[in-house]
Amino acid sequence: MVFFARTENKGGCSIWSYNLKDNFLSNYSPGQNPCPVNKESALIVSRQTPGGNAELWKINYDTGVEECIVSATDKSFTTPMISPDGRWIVFVGSSVVEGQGVAYHNTDIYVCRIDGTDLRQLTHHAADDLSPIWSHDGRNIYFISQRGDADATANIWRMTFTE
């Protein structure tokens, strides 16, 4: 089965699946960035709140049970990726940074356990940190950032992940 997000004209973004065996197309729920949960009939998705922030939700596509696992009133959370061992989620958190009369949006890399507990901010940098992905062994997280470049050119960075 292939999961994907589809944007409707006025209906927002929703999670769909395509079954390769029988060509069956299904719509599951509102959201984007679907990431299948290992050994479960579930997805982790990013979903917009009425206030405009994004939260991470776990959706069981067999039972229809949905639960919000990561949310904050002052941040948005997107692009979840589950660790190879299925115990952690890495994702992007964005917030507004204010200082010296200037306010700007900034993105950093976060992790939490698969159930949303043990939320941690891994990067703390004024440059945008985006598109996190796990190494195959789960020991490192790779991400894109403009840090370290006077021209704000994006580069790939690596950080070691320790529980």
Side-chain angles (χ1 to χ4, degrees), residues 94-143:
S94 65
S95 58
V96 176
V97 177
E98 297 182 37
Q100 300 178 356
V102 177
Y104 66 95
H105 288 273
N106 186 41
T107 57
D108 282 297
I109 307 300
Y110 289 75
V111 294
C112 69
R113 294 192 184 275
I114 194 73
D115 63 0
T117 60
D118 201 8
L119 177 65
R120 301 182 207 170
Q121 183 174 344
L122 298 181
T123 62
H124 300 269
H125 197 277
D128 286 325
D129 300 328
L130 301 163
S131 304
I133 190 164
W134 295 94
S135 62
H136 290 289
D137 61 9
R139 289 190 224 166
N140 295 290
I141 297 170
Y142 293 89
F143 62 98

Side-chain angles (χ1 to χ4, degrees), residues 4-152:
F4 61 96
R6 177 178 169 183
T7 303
E8 305 293 332
N9 286 339
K10 295 183 183 181
C13 199
S14 59
I15 304 301
W16 288 73
S17 73
Y18 177 69
N19 188 321
L20 299 169
K21 293 179 184 172
D22 60 13
N23 290 331
F24 191 72
L25 196 61
S26 297
N27 182 345
Y28 290 101
S29 74
Q32 57 191 8
N33 309 118
C35 185
V37 177
N38 300 348
K39 300 177 185 170
E40 290 185 48
S41 297
L43 302 167
I44 304 295
V45 304
S46 176
R47 186 182 281 174
Q48 290 293 119
T49 67
N53 285 341
E55 304 168 322
L56 296 185
W57 285 72
K58 184 176 181 181
I59 299 169
N60 184 306
Y61 51 84
D62 281 343
T63 65
V65 173
E66 301 180 353
E67 74 176 299
C68 182
I69 59 171
V70 179
S71 180
T73 57
D74 61 340
K75 292 180 179 24
S76 284
F77 300 106
T78 61
T79 60
M81 295 294 293
I82 297 174
S83 64
D85 66 8
R87 296 176 30 205
W88 294 89
I89 307 168
V90 65
F91 51 95
V92 173
S94 65
S95 58
V96 176
V97 177
E98 297 182 37
Q100 300 178 356
V102 177
Y104 66 95
H105 288 273
N106 186 41
T107 57
D108 282 297
I109 307 300
Y110 289 75
V111 294
C112 69
R113 294 192 184 275
I114 194 73
D115 63 0
T117 60
D118 201 8
L119 177 65
R120 301 182 207 170
Q121 183 174 344
L122 298 181
T123 62
H124 300 269
H125 197 277
D128 286 325
D129 300 328
L130 301 163
S131 304
I133 190 164
W134 295 94
S135 62
H136 290 289
D137 61 9
R139 289 190 224 166
N140 295 290
I141 297 170
Y142 293 89
F143 62 98
I144 297 172
S145 182
Q146 301 160 319
R147 62 177 70 194
D149 190 294
D151 298 322

